[in-house]
Amino acid sequence: MAKDKTLYVCSECGGTSPKWLGKCPSCGAWNTLIEQVAQPAGGANNRFGTQFAALAGSAELATLSEIEATDIARTPTGLDELDRVLGGGIVDGGVTLIGGDPGIGKSTLLLQAVDALQRAGRNAIYVTGEESGAQVALRSRRLGLDHSQVQVLAEIQLEKILATLDATRPAIAVIDSIQTVYSDQLTSAPGSVAQVRECAAHLTRFAKASGTAVVLVGHVTKEGALAGPRVLEHMVDTVLYFEGDTHSSFRLVRAIKNRFGAVNEIGVFAMTERGLKGVANPSAIFLSQHAEPVPGSVVLVTLEGTRPMLVEIQALVDNGGPSPRRLSVGLDRDRLAMLLAVLHRHAGVACMDQDVFVNAVGGVRISEPAADLAVMLAITSSLRGKPLPKGFIAFGEVGLAGEVRPAPRGQERLREAAKLGFSVAVVPKANAPRRGAKEIEGLTIHAVERIEEAMDIVRQLQ
């Protein structure tokens, strides 16, 4: 196969150079030249040529209302929590990118999934570029996947991988990982921006043309983002992040992008000797088991995708020095500083000379503003040394003017709390059940409009 010519394109100005230079000759920017496959000088592939434009036929147009809208067929993977994140299962021709820290369990999860699909009659290929076939087989034995019929290909050259996939046409193909794959058309090393982008583009094109579902495993940077060009996330249909602490047995799979389902949906897994097992009731792992209520502890009903989930928020307020610390784990630190200012201005609770530490139990990360009220109540409880009553929950967004704003899907949050035995709730007024609506059995709901009202109610309950 003849090797195509390559050129280097500046990511800032688009200028080109026949060889790599540290400084772009067009705009003078440093370290912006990226290798690309050069387009042929003429013919159909010449994107800049206009001499044959008149001979090209126009593309067929279709009216949006006349296009038949059919539901996308999905194939369950056999792992309920993974199916939840994917939106019901894998989609033929869909491309999924999954990233996570080393050793978090990406390869384990995918090996379990392709084995379940293979046993369900769907042909699967596992392409490994980081391990040998013997290492993959050893892992499958350790996971209890006896007599697995999954086909394994230990290869990192893109052209050989595509030829094998084209000859076998599997239902699903896993590429572990995209950073190890390289194309002969480029001279740069595997894992470079050019290689990752070019290889991912070819694999995506193959998936759309053949109907094979392709799963790409991606490395992450030290900041936790997917390594490689950002365009990689735009190419694929679904982006999943594998989260969790390697010192903990629990793992979270979060959907950041999903063209076939809800985003920010999460699946919860427990790492066992036999691989990853789905957790049916994830709220239980994020709640500490206290024999009696303790100061600084409030249970929050947060929403992860379509799933309401109970998480314990813990706060510790201690005497600080001339420069008091504000530290949060699992919550935004800047938002914590804002809530402390609102707490002082509108509720008369001063923490100016106190160290404030806030933690979301279980390693979960909470990004929604509905956690504001629970955080403020936890801080106040710790400062006063008085615990909140047993079975207490709270949620709601707090504004700079001290108002308590509603959280989305409040009724579902309240029903989830009642199902798990909670009995007292402080919520925004707009989230309280309307008059004439069916009350939530076993749950006493206190509706508030301002943070001062919430503090008064809490004082009465303590």
Side-chain angles (χ1 to χ4, degrees):
M1 184 176 180
K3 186 174 180 179
D4 293 338
K5 292 183 178 180
T6 62
L7 51 83
Y8 293 84
V9 181
C10 176
S11 59
E12 296 290 334
C13 69
T16 61
S17 171
K19 62 180 181 179
W20 187 86
L21 299 171
K23 184 178 181 180
C24 174
S26 301
C27 67
W30 288 91
N31 297 322
T32 57
L33 293 179
I34 300 173
E35 186 182 23
Q36 289 186 3
V37 177
Q39 294 293 327
N45 290 331
N46 184 7
R47 66 177 69 178
F48 302 109
T50 57
Q51 61 269 36
F52 299 113
L55 302 178
S58 60
E60 183 179 352
L61 292 173
T63 305
L64 185 61
S65 61
E66 296 177 355
I67 299 176
E68 184 180 359
T70 58
D71 290 335
I72 300 171
R74 303 175 185 275
T75 303
T77 62
L79 302 175
D80 293 340
E81 289 296 306
L82 181 59
D83 290 338
R84 169 189 283 272
V85 178
L86 292 173
I90 62 169
V91 177
D92 292 343
V95 183
T96 302
L97 175 64
I98 180 168
D101 294 333
I104 203 74
K106 302 184 296 296
S107 301
T108 298
L109 178 67
L110 293 176
L111 191 57
Q112 289 179 251
V114 295
D115 181 75
L117 288 166
Q118 183 72 44
R119 294 177 191 273
R122 307 278 288 180
N123 188 23
I125 290 182
Y126 190 93
V127 181
T128 172
E130 299 181 345
E131 300 174 301
S132 65
Q135 288 174 305
V136 176
L138 186 63
R139 181 189 292 119
S140 71
R141 306 291 192 279
R142 191 171 64 249
L143 297 176
L145 307 178
D146 298 327
H147 309 294
S148 178
Q149 299 301 307
V150 175
Q151 296 174 297
V152 178
L153 174 65
E155 182 57 63
I156 60 174
Q157 187 180 346
L158 174 68
E159 287 74 20
K160 292 182 180 179
I161 293 172
L162 289 175
T164 303
L165 295 179
D166 188 53
T168 56
R169 292 298 175 101
I172 180 171
V174 175
I175 312 297
D176 187 7
S177 65
I178 187 63
Q179 271 81 13
T180 61
V181 180
Y182 75 96
S183 171
D184 275 343
Q185 307 305 315
L186 298 171
T187 59
S188 54
S192 63
V193 170
Q195 288 284 9
V196 170
R197 182 174 55 192
E198 193 72 16
C199 293
H202 281 288
L203 289 166
T204 301
R205 196 174 302 120
F206 169 80
K208 302 303 179 184
S210 65
T212 296
V214 174
V215 180
L216 307 176
V217 178
H219 295 171
V220 293
T221 62
K222 61 182 179 181
E223 290 83 15
L226 279 163
R230 195 72 182 183
V231 71
L232 188 61
E233 298 183 35
H234 294 283
M235 284 183 194
V236 301
D237 300 309
T238 306
V239 179
L240 306 180
Y241 273 85
F242 219 118
E243 301 174 359
D245 188 354
T246 53
H247 303 292
S248 171
S249 60
F250 297 107
R251 305 284 190 270
L252 301 181
V253 179
R254 187 185 302 272
I256 301 299
K257 170 188 176 183
N258 194 349
R259 289 174 178 158
F260 308 118
V263 295
N264 280 331
E265 192 70 70
I266 69 164
V268 184
F269 294 89
M271 179 65 81
T272 67
E273 294 179 356
R274 292 286 183 171
L276 289 160
K277 305 294 182 185
V279 177
N281 184 18
S283 295
I285 67 176
F286 299 122
L287 297 177
S288 296
Q289 302 298 323
H290 300 296
E292 293 294 333
V294 296
S297 175
V298 176
V299 175
L300 159 74
V301 189
T302 185
L303 201 66
E304 294 288 353
T306 60
R307 167 187 279 177
M309 195 164 60
L310 275 69
V311 177
E312 182 181 1
I313 302 295
Q314 291 183 339
L316 176 62
V317 180
D318 197 10
N319 292 329
S323 300
R325 301 180 63 191
R326 279 85 173 91
L327 181 64
S328 62
V329 178
L331 296 143
D332 185 21
R333 188 176 304 179
D334 293 335
R335 194 162 190 89
L336 172 60
M338 184 192 78
L339 295 177
L340 288 172
V342 174
L343 201 60
H344 179 217
R345 180 66 179 269
H346 297 287
V349 179
C351 298
M352 292 175 292
D353 57 346
Q354 305 285 320
D355 289 337
V356 180
F357 306 95
V358 179
N359 176 40
V361 174
V364 67
R365 295 172 190 160
I366 300 172
S367 57
E368 66 165 350
D372 292 350
L373 185 57
V375 171
M376 296 173 81
L377 294 179
I379 293 171
T380 307
S381 172
S382 177
L383 179 64
R384 292 177 176 158
K386 293 184 178 180
L388 291 160
K390 192 172 184 179
F392 179 90
I393 63 152
F395 62 84
E397 179 184 355
V398 179
L400 288 177
E403 76 278 11
V404 180
R405 298 175 180 174
R409 300 170 64 183
Q411 299 301 304
E412 291 184 32
R413 299 177 194 243
L414 292 172
R415 282 193 290 269
E416 178 72 11
K419 186 174 71 175
L420 293 174
F422 287 82
S423 56
V424 183
V426 174
V427 300
K429 188 174 183 179
N431 288 134
R434 299 180 182 275
R435 284 185 178 180
K438 184 179 178 181
E439 293 187 359
I440 300 173
E441 187 177 353
L443 190 62
T444 302
I445 299 173
H446 300 276
V448 297
E449 290 184 309
R450 296 192 58 80
I451 186 62
E452 303 96 302
E453 298 177 36
M455 293 298 171
D456 291 339
I457 290 173
V458 167
R459 289 191 193 98
Q460 296 171 12
L461 294 173
Q462 285 176 331

